[in-house]
Amino acid sequence: MSSLARDALGSLREPEFWAYSTWLDIVTKYRRSRLGLVWLLIPPLIYVLGVGYYFAKLQGLSPVAFIPHLGVGYLLFRFLMTIITESSLVLPANSSFILDGHARLTDFVFRVVAKGLFYLSVAAPVLIIALAVSPQLDPWGLAISLPALLVLIANALWMGIAIALLGARFPDIHELMTSVFIFGFILTPILWSASAAPPGTVHGVFMRINPLYHLIELVRAPMLGESLETTTLFYVAGLTVGGVLITGYLYRRYARFVPLWM
């Protein structure tokens, strides 16, 4: 655990490499586009408002009530998916830096997390508009959602580090994670409501063993004035503590082998 904590704190104290390189990657990707970074806003705008309106009408729900539900769920799901799938490739993709020995392994995962946070922040105006017209918005719940978002980010970080180590050793991890998230999107109440999967049903069991559901619900439910299941609180607490401990062990045990796996 000590080596992971040391490297993670070192990355936070010296963000120049991962913060600047993340910004440079994003800017260079869109520099020849006429709309530039505006393209980052268009997909969430279409998905949250367009798909949200369509599925609200399809289910006979009010769009102003359903769109915030879908918007928060979709953006947080995309944030987690981006970090975990890209982390599975990040170490092999930066093998030259790793073999050079002047960067910590956590620096590369922090790059992925920083990119995910940037995409999330760019899409925030769309979500703010959807929440502003929502009849379910709970201003006091927003105060709870902010620290809950930090918990979600902490979980995304340890997941990214663990998947990065596995991805360095097993190249097929990326394909596996892509398939898992396709299935995970169906199991997570984004296009549908969690009330459609009550406890005691088979689909309710599948939904509640899905960590993505609990992490998203931890942030979304207070924001929309919905009650959190006690199961979610215990699940996220166990996931956070257990995940950090397991990742700490994996990092201490296997991080030194990463240059040999490149």
Side-chain angles (χ1 to χ4, degrees):
M1 180 67 178
S2 58
S3 58
L4 174 57
R6 183 176 60 250
D7 283 3
L9 289 173
S11 295
L12 286 173
R13 284 195 297 265
E14 300 174 7
E16 295 83 7
F17 168 73
W18 56 266
Y20 179 72
S21 60
T22 299
W23 173 248
L24 194 63
D25 285 346
I26 294 170
V27 170
T28 54
K29 181 178 179 180
Y30 294 96
R31 66 179 176 180
R32 300 188 65 182
S33 168
R34 290 184 179 274
L35 294 180
L37 295 178
V38 175
W39 281 113
L40 295 176
L41 184 62
I42 294 176
L45 183 66
I46 294 174
Y47 199 92
V48 173
L49 300 182
V51 177
Y53 181 85
Y54 176 81
F55 271 86
K57 289 298 185 180
L58 192 66
Q59 300 175 79
L61 302 173
S62 168
V64 294
F66 182 74
I67 287 176
H69 167 88
L70 179 140
V72 177
Y74 165 70
L75 293 178
L76 294 180
F77 183 92
R78 190 181 69 159
F79 171 71
L80 291 168
M81 181 180 68
T82 298
I83 291 172
I84 294 174
T85 55
E86 292 196 12
S87 291
S88 63
L89 296 173
V90 71
L91 297 184
N94 292 277
S95 57
S96 57
F97 289 103
I98 294 171
L99 294 173
D100 186 54
H102 292 296
R104 309 171 190 85
L105 297 184
T106 51
D107 287 339
F108 305 108
V109 179
F110 271 72
R111 283 182 63 182
V112 177
V113 175
K115 183 186 292 186
L117 286 171
F118 180 80
Y119 289 157
L120 186 63
S121 62
V122 167
V126 179
L127 191 59
I128 291 173
I129 294 172
L131 288 172
V133 299
S134 172
Q136 297 172 282
L137 178 64
D138 184 357
W140 292 106
L142 289 174
I144 301 174
S145 294
L146 291 177
L149 180 61
L150 295 179
V151 174
L152 183 144
I153 294 170
N155 277 276
L157 182 59
W158 75 252
M159 289 178 184
I161 294 171
I163 294 298
L165 292 173
L166 292 173
R169 181 64 181 88
F170 305 105
D172 292 339
I173 287 294
H174 176 70
E175 299 300 328
L176 175 62
M177 289 297 102
T178 302
S179 300
V180 166
F181 271 95
I182 292 174
F183 187 54
F185 188 78
I186 299 172
L187 284 182
T188 307
I190 297 173
L191 297 176
W192 48 279
S193 174
S195 60
T201 61
V202 174
H203 46 292
V205 171
F206 275 103
M207 184 188 74
R208 285 168 178 80
I209 63 176
N210 174 14
L212 298 172
Y213 158 68
H214 294 287
L215 289 172
I216 291 172
E217 199 67 9
L218 185 72
V219 179
R220 180 174 60 187
M223 189 181 298
L224 298 180
E226 300 170 356
S227 58
L228 271 173
E229 294 184 3
T230 306
T231 307
T232 293
L233 299 176
F234 285 109
Y235 190 106
V236 172
L239 183 70
T240 306
V241 175
V244 170
L245 292 176
I246 293 172
T247 303
Y249 169 77
L250 292 175
Y251 194 89
R252 184 176 66 248
R253 179 72 176 81
Y254 297 108
R256 63 181 181 272
F257 295 118
V258 169
L260 302 177
W261 296 337
M262 295 293 102

